[in-house]
Amino acid sequence: MNNIQNFNIKKVKGMRYILHFEGAAVYSKVYLNDKFIGEYKGAYNRFNFDITDTVKTKDNVLVVELDSSERKEIPPFGNVVDYLVYGGIYREVWIEEVSDVYIDNAFVRTLNVLHEKKLLSIDVTLSESTSGKLTFALYKDDEKIGEKSTDFKGKVINAKWAVKDVKLWDIDNPELYTIKIKLDEKDETSVRFGFRECKFYKDGFYLNGKKIKIRGLNRHQSFPYVGYAMPENVQKADADLLKYELGVNLVRTSHYPNSIHFLDRCDEIGLLVFTEMPSWQYLGEGEWRDICLDNVRRMVLRDRNHPSVILWSIGNEIDYPNDPYVTPLFKESLGNNDANKPERERKYDDKKPDAGRLATVAKELGTNVVTTHIGVVPEDKNHDRYKVMQEACFELARYADSLEAHFAVETGPETSLELKKFLDGLNSTGVGVNLDPANLVMVTGDNPAKAVYNLQKYIVHTHAKDGVQNFYKDPEIVYGIKKDPLVTGESFTEVPLGEGSVNWKDYLAALEDIGYKGFLTIEREVGDDPERDIRAAVEFLKNQMK
């Protein structure tokens, strides 16, 4: 795919010209006036090139050659999951005119924010080492609050500034300030930021010393018909929808850095952000890892001044379902889809943390339930896999009991009676059940209401999901433990709540009958409009519970 643009500029002697791309997918080669000026591998981070020596006053021809295919050396790709990336130049492209020595970037830290006098610590990085004067001017909207200057020599300069009579940024009152930084009379930049303190403790998240219960959703930047290519106003409208219509206070930019316009709006309305590098279930090596580290660096440099950003992720579901937590009792992973993993990834690795630690982490985060998959329990108790699974789950159950916690096995691969027999053999409720009614009807054809009674001793969490079984397929084929080239097609379909084979009246009545008082978590993994389906599911459940 080639993108060609003709343009003119007013070129000033002694100035430099930087060509910026906010986002282009996936592998970009850039040419200006028939000269190759550089390349970039990645779909979600900004990149730039100095075009001073190539750009002309008139009749410039900019050509961007894009390879939008999945390339094994570029995150998030790795041939593990179907990660859809829309090709093209989908964010802004612009040219910046700067002085010969210019301000490359600035980072504003806000310290001692809970005191009357707050401290600004400002790191300014120049394009090259020089000497001169930096002037800092602090603004609230259009009003200048104060100004400070300092002489310097070097490339990276730190300046500190004690200020008072400023307001804190929080989710209810997102007060924003701007600092304008001037390098002599040559160059100037500005940074918008907020005074705030974010800390995570064992008992939760604290913003400015106040404990905040986080309620969040994931946000993908793709839209019907146009993919990623949506303008500023639509990016900002998504932030408004999340906060004001869906009622969340945090958004996760899954699974890549989102538009700067989206983050700007999160700053403005007080919506917390959990951002992450491009990734999904794969961790490569060599050039892949080099590009991965570069992605993290670019993400942090671009977004570190946003007060809304409180969490940075370096991977989504990395190495999942063969996740980084292991037990020495499993010499080889036997869980969902592990048959599709390279052999070395299925083997036990004593350098990975023990699976029991998940329960400890859960307790520290204020919950006593860890939901998980364990694979398909064989019907034959003499099967080698049965013995290994029971021995491993016995150890996990014993550890969970010591913490008064539960590992909750999700239903689906076997009938509720088969799962009950397996769990009964553990003589513990440390390994309990996460009852998913849709999995039961879609995979084994089991009755969810009867499953409630069969598993009542073990149920510690439930899902609200619906589906239909199109035809029966061996669960070991469904869950990727073995393959059968003769069995093709989708054996089940997940559908919106109330449109499938789950008898919700009987299911909910059974949960009430056994005295279950825990969560009923709505899950929707497919469909053209999951948001609409989740809204409809809430109303459906409310009507069922009247």
Side-chain angles (χ1 to χ4, degrees), residues 50-62:
D50 189 327
I51 60 171
T52 305
D53 297 333
T54 311
V55 71
K56 304 182 296 184
T57 301
K58 292 184 178 181
D59 301 323
N60 290 284
V61 180
L62 176 65

Side-chain angles (χ1 to χ4, degrees), residues 127-342:
S127 59
E128 60 183 76
S129 183
T130 187
S131 60
K133 177 184 287 187
L134 284 173
T135 302
F136 304 90
L138 182 62
Y139 286 81
K140 174 61 177 169
D141 300 322
D142 294 328
E143 179 185 356
K144 183 189 286 190
I145 297 174
E147 186 171 295
K148 176 183 175 68
S149 295
T150 183
D151 295 326
F152 74 91
K153 183 178 181 180
K155 183 177 180 180
V156 179
I157 303 97
N158 175 263
K160 290 183 170 57
W161 186 2
V163 297
K164 60 180 182 178
D165 298 327
V166 293
K167 298 178 180 179
L168 299 182
W169 183 96
D170 64 33
I171 58 177
D172 296 317
N173 297 289
E175 299 285 349
L176 292 170
Y177 293 83
T178 300
I179 191 160
K180 294 183 179 181
I181 307 169
K182 184 179 290 188
L183 170 60
D184 296 324
E185 297 300 322
K186 299 177 180 179
D187 195 40
E188 183 176 341
T189 192
S190 63
V191 176
R192 192 172 69 167
F193 68 99
F195 290 88
R196 60 101 169 103
E197 178 186 79
C198 298
K199 290 188 177 181
F200 285 88
Y201 294 103
K202 288 184 178 181
D203 65 330
F205 169 68
Y206 287 77
L207 178 62
N208 302 329
K210 178 182 177 182
K211 187 176 180 180
I212 303 291
K213 185 176 180 62
I214 292 176
R215 304 181 306 277
L217 286 172
N218 289 348
R219 187 253 181 179
H220 291 271
Q221 67 178 13
S222 53
F223 294 84
Y225 309 112
V226 296
Y228 291 162
M230 289 301 273
E232 176 181 351
N233 63 322
V234 179
Q235 302 288 345
K236 291 186 172 183
D238 259 12
D240 288 346
L241 184 151
L242 283 158
K243 176 158 186 174
Y244 299 123
E245 294 188 42
L246 298 180
V248 304
N249 58 16
L250 178 140
V251 57
R252 178 187 180 200
T253 65
S254 49
H255 305 290
Y256 39 76
N258 278 197
S259 162
I260 55 172
H261 304 306
F262 178 76
L263 294 187
D264 283 344
R265 187 58 180 162
C266 291
D267 292 341
E268 293 163 1
I269 63 177
L271 180 60
L272 302 172
V273 175
F274 172 1
T275 191
E276 65 188 358
M277 74 171 200
S279 63
W280 193 8
Q281 297 188 15
Y282 180 72
L283 184 62
E285 298 175 351
E287 186 178 2
W288 192 99
R289 189 161 297 195
D290 292 338
I291 296 175
C292 163
L293 294 173
D294 180 68
N295 278 331
V296 173
R297 183 184 67 84
R298 291 174 185 269
M299 173 179 71
V300 172
L301 284 174
R302 191 195 74 164
D303 298 337
R304 58 186 176 173
N305 287 307
H306 287 279
S308 58
V309 176
I310 64 166
L311 285 167
W312 307 89
S313 168
I314 56 172
N316 171 56
E317 300 175 2
I318 291 297
D319 208 17
Y320 175 88
N322 179 25
D323 64 38
Y325 292 92
V326 296
T327 171
L329 295 169
F330 278 133
K331 300 304 180 185
E332 182 174 356
S333 296
L334 305 169
N336 304 347
N337 301 318
D338 280 336
N340 300 320
K341 293 283 188 178

Side-chain angles (χ1 to χ4, degrees), residues 38-86:
E39 66 179 22
Y40 178 72
K41 292 184 176 182
Y44 301 102
N45 279 301
R46 66 167 48 153
F47 57 97
N48 58 62
F49 305 103
D50 189 327
I51 60 171
T52 305
D53 297 333
T54 311
V55 71
K56 304 182 296 184
T57 301
K58 292 184 178 181
D59 301 323
N60 290 284
V61 180
L62 176 65
V63 177
V64 182
E65 179 184 316
L66 276 173
D67 178 354
S68 299
S69 64
E70 292 193 14
R71 298 177 61 96
K72 64 181 181 180
E73 79 274 20
I74 301 178
F77 305 122
N79 298 320
V80 173
V81 295
D82 183 16
Y83 195 117
L84 178 61
V85 175
Y86 297 89

Side-chain angles (χ1 to χ4, degrees), residues 9-136:
I9 67 168
K10 184 179 179 181
K11 193 172 181 181
V12 179
K13 186 177 180 180
M15 302 300 285
R16 305 202 69 80
Y17 296 87
I18 313 297
L19 175 64
H20 295 269
F21 291 81
E22 290 295 330
V26 172
Y27 175 23
S28 305
K29 291 184 177 180
V30 182
Y31 302 83
L32 180 60
N33 300 327
D34 295 325
K35 292 183 179 180
F36 176 68
I37 61 171
E39 66 179 22
Y40 178 72
K41 292 184 176 182
Y44 301 102
N45 279 301
R46 66 167 48 153
F47 57 97
N48 58 62
F49 305 103
D50 189 327
I51 60 171
T52 305
D53 297 333
T54 311
V55 71
K56 304 182 296 184
T57 301
K58 292 184 178 181
D59 301 323
N60 290 284
V61 180
L62 176 65
V63 177
V64 182
E65 179 184 316
L66 276 173
D67 178 354
S68 299
S69 64
E70 292 193 14
R71 298 177 61 96
K72 64 181 181 180
E73 79 274 20
I74 301 178
F77 305 122
N79 298 320
V80 173
V81 295
D82 183 16
Y83 195 117
L84 178 61
V85 175
Y86 297 89
I89 303 174
Y90 66 93
R91 291 180 184 161
E92 295 87 348
V93 180
W94 50 288
I95 295 175
E96 180 184 21
E97 182 184 80
V98 296
S99 60
D100 189 44
V101 179
Y102 59 92
I103 300 171
D104 185 59
N105 66 79
F107 178 31
V108 180
R109 295 184 182 88
T110 58
L111 308 174
N112 301 333
V113 300
L114 302 184
H115 295 80
E116 181 181 0
K117 274 194 173 182
K118 292 141 180 63
L119 182 65
L120 288 174
S121 179
I122 310 158
D123 291 333
V124 180
T125 302
L126 307 179
S127 59
E128 60 183 76
S129 183
T130 187
S131 60
K133 177 184 287 187
L134 284 173
T135 302
F136 304 90

Side-chain angles (χ1 to χ4, degrees), residues 367-380:
T367 182
N368 64 346
V369 177
V370 176
T371 63
T372 186
H373 296 261
I374 61 170
V376 181
V377 178
E379 292 184 15
D380 182 4

